[in-house]
Amino acid sequence: MLQSALMPEAATSALWLSVRVSVLATLADALVGIPLAYVLAKRRFWGRQVLDVAVMLPLVLPPTVTGYYLIVLLGRRGWLGGPLYALTGWSLPFTWYAAVVASAVMALPLLVRPARAAIESVNPDLERAAFVLGRSEWRTALEVTLPLARRGIVAGLVLAFARALGEFGATLMLAGNIPGRTTTVPLAIYTAVSTGEADEARVLVLVLTTLSCAVVLLASRLGSRL
Amino acid sequence: MIEVALRKALPGFTLDVAWAAGDEVVTLFGPSGAGKSLTLQCLAGLTRPDAGRVVVNGRVFDDAAAGVHLPPQARHLGYVFQGYALFPHLTVAENVAFGLRGLPGGERRRRTTEVLAQLGLGDLAGRFPRDLSGGQQQRVALGRAIAPDPAVLLLDEPLSALDAPLRRQLREELRALVVGLRRTVVLVTHDLGEAYQLGDRLVLYEAGRIVQTGPKAEVLGRPASATVARLIGLRNVVRGTVVKTAPDRIEIAWRGHTVETVNSPTAPFQAAPGTSVAFVVRPEHVRLIRKDRVSPDPGHHMNLLRGEIVDSIDHGTSWTLFFRIAAPGPPSQGAYDLEIEVPHLVYEILDIGRDREWEVSMHRGALQVLAGV
């Protein structure tokens, strides 16, 4: 449908891949990031600061550096990737899953930061009240803390999705730029510009801009309803 | 029944208290930062004491020596937090039902309706806390705490978030409700009126310690020390030196005079001459002696003191006069020795506004010796 006169096939495939990668990366961040934000906000444990810094690192490091670390960790000869390859013969880099992992890692701090701040700002007396009324810490988190922190969590998820949508450097390092397999929209734009495909670049830039605007708009709509 | 012995050291503050109460309202009274709220948190299991024991109706909640510390979930207490801590994302009915999760659905709804009706909140069941007035929020907090039928109800400054007229109105309501529970109710307040009206028993806190405990009338009527007298807001707490103690009277040297007071026939005060002693004179018990009458009869007017009024405050219906005794040395309370309370009419009749030199008397029964420090 979109793939008519407006968009060449490569651009369409890049768009669908980007959406798929960003949605999955955001879901993965929700699964990891919300519990992480809770633990960082509530618990005092050994290594907490190390964890805190590690989560925030992708925000300050150049994406290529983060990508390099991901290769060291998950590459065919990586700390985790090596044993995985030895065991299954499969490795992550240069698959579209690698794009998901790279986007998720890059976007994680954008979820954890506002989510953690929102959890920390929930009046601790509300949690104490839930304890006194018989709720375990787990139930209290589900019934009191997280529902009250929902604005910050949703804001974080939107930011994370937007960041995943625009991810370039780390994705390029870990997933490469294989047309039809790992070429997301930002990579496709880069390729189009560097090979002189000005029309394709223009269309993709327009699409990504529209999509990002739509996400931000949706987020503010959602935010005022919560 | 509750038995409490707690020790908890925090940076710059140590709580070290022990008290007990039956099925009555016990009020923890004292200034802010005295450790009252910390005591409640320890009772609720939200804070773990360093040492001590908490036993409620025979159940051991805490026994530091034996390593026992029940979590708050296992204590089944009601807790009304300062500022109420209502769940803002839940309706009034959901707030009240929050502690009833263990009950089957029908029973839970029945109990919720019952509590809402009891507190006059039936019409507000579907509202959210932000839509309620302060008084209504206070009632929801109370309803949420009592709905699970707790063994002990803890109230942390339950009325302090309300403005004064509403506070007074709700006091009676709260009193009726907590007495009706026939449970141990522990109330924290720094408002003496509230402590007196709501409580049966007073536990006076200061700086992490208990300075006096007993039935409220006893504590207020017979403060054990100058510290207690000041805590309960008594004015004219001053210090003199014992001249003589007899079974029927005590003579005290004070500001160049010897004042005399009655001794208690049941628990007589005894101290060696020269001992420093605190005593209190209620401002309304100091009387000015009229100058238009014959010279004062020493048999009637006791403890005569001459001096001048150095300052005065108009309260509308009464005046507070600050009286300095004509004697060398510094006055007992800064710039003055005694506060005197006189009705407005007396102030006008005696023309106190212009005439500042007076002789006053204190009946010997009006002086109360404070035995403790």
Side-chain angles (χ1 to χ4, degrees), chain B residues 49-261:
Chain B
D50 301 333
R53 260 169 77 82
V54 175
V55 182
V56 171
N57 296 337
R59 279 183 73 206
V60 178
F61 281 6
D62 273 290
D63 190 342
V68 176
H69 174 70
L70 289 191
Q73 290 87 350
R75 298 190 178 208
H76 305 293
L77 300 175
Y79 198 138
V80 174
F81 288 81
Q82 193 171 5
Y84 314 137
L86 296 177
F87 302 121
H89 59 306
L90 301 180
T91 63
V92 167
E94 287 167 341
N95 266 283
V96 170
F98 197 88
L100 303 173
R101 209 166 71 108
L103 298 179
E107 178 64 14
R108 187 166 64 231
R109 275 188 294 277
R110 193 198 59 73
R111 177 64 180 153
T112 304
T113 312
E114 182 182 69
V115 171
L116 288 174
Q118 186 187 352
L119 290 159
L121 294 166
D123 297 340
L124 304 174
R127 299 272 196 91
F128 285 92
R130 62 174 172 275
D131 301 325
L132 305 183
S133 70
Q136 289 165 338
Q137 288 184 18
Q138 192 262 347
R139 265 180 278 178
V140 176
L142 209 52
R144 185 180 69 180
I146 64 171
D149 199 18
V152 173
L153 180 62
L154 310 175
L155 303 164
D156 194 355
E157 303 270 8
L159 301 175
S160 68
L162 308 170
D163 47 19
L166 186 62
R167 198 155 61 217
R168 276 192 294 277
Q169 182 197 326
L170 284 186
R171 260 189 213 162
E172 258 322 294
E173 226 179 277
L174 185 60
R175 168 79 190 165
L177 187 107
V178 295
V179 168
L181 291 176
R182 299 180 198 292
R183 295 289 153 87
T184 305
V185 177
V186 184
L187 174 105
V188 160
T189 183
H190 65 269
D191 180 323
L192 187 67
E194 211 167 291
Y196 194 78
Q197 197 173 345
L198 293 172
D200 300 309
R201 173 174 291 275
L202 274 181
V203 179
L204 256 58
Y205 273 62
E206 198 199 46
R209 293 175 170 276
I210 290 171
V211 286
Q212 192 173 355
T213 171
K216 60 180 174 185
E218 184 187 302
V219 174
L220 296 192
R222 271 183 287 144
S225 63
T227 309
V228 172
R230 279 192 205 96
L231 272 182
I232 61 177
L234 294 187
R235 293 182 284 168
N236 292 335
V237 180
V238 295
R239 194 161 275 283
T241 310
V242 173
V243 175
K244 187 168 106 182
T245 59
D248 63 332
R249 66 182 200 280
I250 308 161
E251 288 174 19
I252 299 165
W254 179 57
R255 294 284 288 131
H257 297 71
T258 298
V259 293
E260 190 183 309
T261 174

Side-chain angles (χ1 to χ4, degrees), chain A residues 125-126 128-137 139 143-144 147-148 150, chain B residues 44 46 72-73 77 79 81-82 85-89 98-99 101 144 148:
Chain A
D125 272 352
L126 296 176
R128 294 193 187 112
F131 293 162
V132 171
L133 291 164
R135 293 297 195 280
S136 64
E137 184 178 353
R139 297 291 327 172
E143 290 181 47
V144 177
L148 290 174
R150 65 189 181 276
Chain B
L46 296 166
Q73 290 87 350
L77 300 175
Y79 198 138
F81 288 81
Q82 193 171 5
L86 296 177
F87 302 121
H89 59 306
F98 197 88
R101 209 166 71 108
R144 185 180 69 180

